[in-house]
Amino acid sequence: QVQLVESGGGLVQAGGSLRLSCVASGRTFNNYMMAWFRQAPGKAREFVAASSWAGTTIYYAEPVKGRFTISRDNAKNTLYLQMNSLKLEDKAVYYCTGRTRSRSSYFGVSDYDYWGQGTQVTVSS
């Protein structure tokens, strides 16, 4: 059994910050990519950021570059997403995801195997 649980979402004004956390239990995700996706109402789930186990390979979607930071604390089985300078368009449900086998792609929903329930991020003006 694999479980991913996100937390840290909430309501924040534009320009503010939030830190999302994702705690993994069950099968370890060590040595495999983990990622954050988000989905706004009426829109497809989109890639946000991904990180390798050691954090040596990191990717960001263009809309969040320079504002969001992904990191991992493997001793705590936790993935983080630090979100700064939040914009109205960042409002979405944010999902943590991982995989248990090697793959050559990092940016699609189908590239990952396990998903959390999501945490709501609301940005107000």
Side-chain angles (χ1 to χ4, degrees):
Q1 296 180 357
V2 175
Q3 184 176 358
L4 298 170
V5 180
E6 303 97 333
S7 63
L11 174 64
V12 64
Q13 292 199 20
S17 298
L18 285 173
R19 188 180 75 161
L20 306 184
S21 299
C22 171
V23 179
S25 61
R27 184 192 294 265
T28 180
F29 291 94
N30 287 353
N31 303 119
Y32 297 101
M33 298 291 291
M34 294 188 71
W36 291 95
F37 284 69
R38 67 186 182 185
Q39 188 166 23
K43 299 181 67 176
R45 190 168 299 186
E46 67 175 1
F47 172 81
V48 175
S51 176
S52 63
W53 179 77
T56 54
T57 301
I58 292 176
Y59 297 97
Y60 294 101
E62 187 65 31
V64 308
K65 285 182 178 178
R67 300 188 298 118
F68 291 10
T69 302
I70 188 171
S71 61
R72 297 175 69 160
D73 186 339
N74 295 315
K76 297 180 179 179
N77 296 317
T78 302
L79 181 73
Y80 301 99
L81 185 69
Q82 178 66 46
M83 305 185 295
N84 298 326
S85 302
L86 283 161
K87 303 176 178 180
L88 294 178
E89 52 263 43
D90 295 319
K91 179 180 182 293
V93 176
Y94 283 71
Y95 296 91
C96 172
T97 187
R99 60 197 191 189
T100 56
R101 62 187 180 92
S102 179
R103 298 180 66 92
S104 60
S105 182
Y106 316 118
F107 310 121
V109 170
S110 62
D111 295 323
Y112 297 89
D113 302 310
Y114 302 98
W115 297 83
Q117 293 296 117
T119 185
Q120 176 72 53
V121 172
T122 301
V123 184
S124 67
S125 60

